[in-house]
């Protein structure tokens, strides 16, 4: 198989050796490549989520099933698509962020969700700890550090109603295919991103 960096001819690549040497022509090439690559984000996210399949880590259900069950519970409770996608992806960071998985997931969804939904994802680890930290010699009330935050109750509700409840081997979760269209719609275009203008040029 041809290496990825040889799939494009030299004529299709920027010419600079340092960014400060870049030209408009260079960045037109890079911008075009960026827009094409960005469109594949939902596929890459879904592929990475599938890595959780069969990974139990001692839990009653595998990490993918936990993710599907969390998202299913949120969907059946009437949550909107951005919230449901957050619920689906909230633990996607388990593979690469063993010590900070909520922050990994939150970084992925940040451009596509509200500030509140992003905050829930970013901080759910401390709130989820209410249910088990004391068994590991940790402070189960770690979430109290956020007591005065405006999204405290929303994050508490996410963990109580959807996250901590999603370890039931008998629950009839929707399959990943059910959520794929939601992921694609939510990630089709960022709500906020410093690179949004580059995407606008693609639509022009």
């Amino acid at each position: 198989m041809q290496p990825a960096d040889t799939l494009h001819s030299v004529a299709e690549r920027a010419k600079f050796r340092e960014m400060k040497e870049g030209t408009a022509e260079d960045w037109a090439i890079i911008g075009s490549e960026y827009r094409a690559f960005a469109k594949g984000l939902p596929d890459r996210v879904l592929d990475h989520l599938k890595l959780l399949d069969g990974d139990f880590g001692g839990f009653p259900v595998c990490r993918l099933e936990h993710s599907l069950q969390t998202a299913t519970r949120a969907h059946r409770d009437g949550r909107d698509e951005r919230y449901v996608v957050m619920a689906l992806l909230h633990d996607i960071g388990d593979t690469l962020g063993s010590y900070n998985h909520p922050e990994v997931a939150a970084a992925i969804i940040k451009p596509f969700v509200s500030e509140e939904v992003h905050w829930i994802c970013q901080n759910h680890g401390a709130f989820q700890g209410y249910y088990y930290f004391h068994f590991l010699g940790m402070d189960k009330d770690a979430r109290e550090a956020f007591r005065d935050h405006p999204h405290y109750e929303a994050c508490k509700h996410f963990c109580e109603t959807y996250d901590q409840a999603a370890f039931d081997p008998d629950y009839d979760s929707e399959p990943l295919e059910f959520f794929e269209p939601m992921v694609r719609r939510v990630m089709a275009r960022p709500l906020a991103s410093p690179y949004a203008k580059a995407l606008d040029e693609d639509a022009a």
Side-chain angles (χ1 to χ4, degrees), residues 41-175:
L41 178 61
D43 291 310
R44 292 190 295 277
V45 167
L46 289 165
D47 284 346
H48 199 87
L49 187 65
K50 291 172 186 176
L51 296 178
L52 304 182
D53 191 13
D55 180 2
F56 284 82
F59 287 97
V61 299
C62 76
R63 286 183 165 95
L64 178 59
E65 169 56 28
H66 168 68
S67 300
L68 294 171
Q69 194 171 138
T70 304
T72 300
R73 290 175 182 276
H75 172 71
R76 291 175 181 169
D77 200 31
R79 294 291 178 169
D80 66 30
E81 286 195 346
R82 296 183 191 279
Y83 191 105
V84 171
V85 168
M86 178 276 289
L88 178 69
L89 302 181
H90 76 285
D91 280 347
I92 196 172
D94 278 348
T95 54
L96 296 175
S98 299
Y99 304 101
N100 66 333
H101 80 273
E103 295 174 31
V104 175
I108 293 171
I109 68 165
K110 185 176 182 178
F112 308 103
V113 298
S114 68
E115 192 274 335
E116 178 181 283
V117 171
H118 172 259
W119 197 91
I120 291 170
C121 187
Q122 182 169 269
N123 294 285
H124 80 269
F127 284 72
Q128 193 77 336
Y130 178 79
Y131 304 99
Y132 71 92
F133 276 0
H134 50 297
F135 295 122
L136 302 177
M138 300 165 65
D139 181 10
K140 69 174 291 185
D141 293 316
R143 68 185 187 181
E144 290 306 300
F146 303 100
R147 169 63 70 173
D148 295 329
H149 195 279
H151 303 320
Y152 175 92
E153 290 297 334
C155 193
K156 179 181 174 183
H157 182 82
F158 169 76
C159 288
E160 171 66 25
T161 308
Y162 311 127
D163 196 358
Q164 70 83 29
F167 295 93
D168 182 354
D170 298 319
Y171 188 80
D172 60 331
S173 300
E174 298 289 353

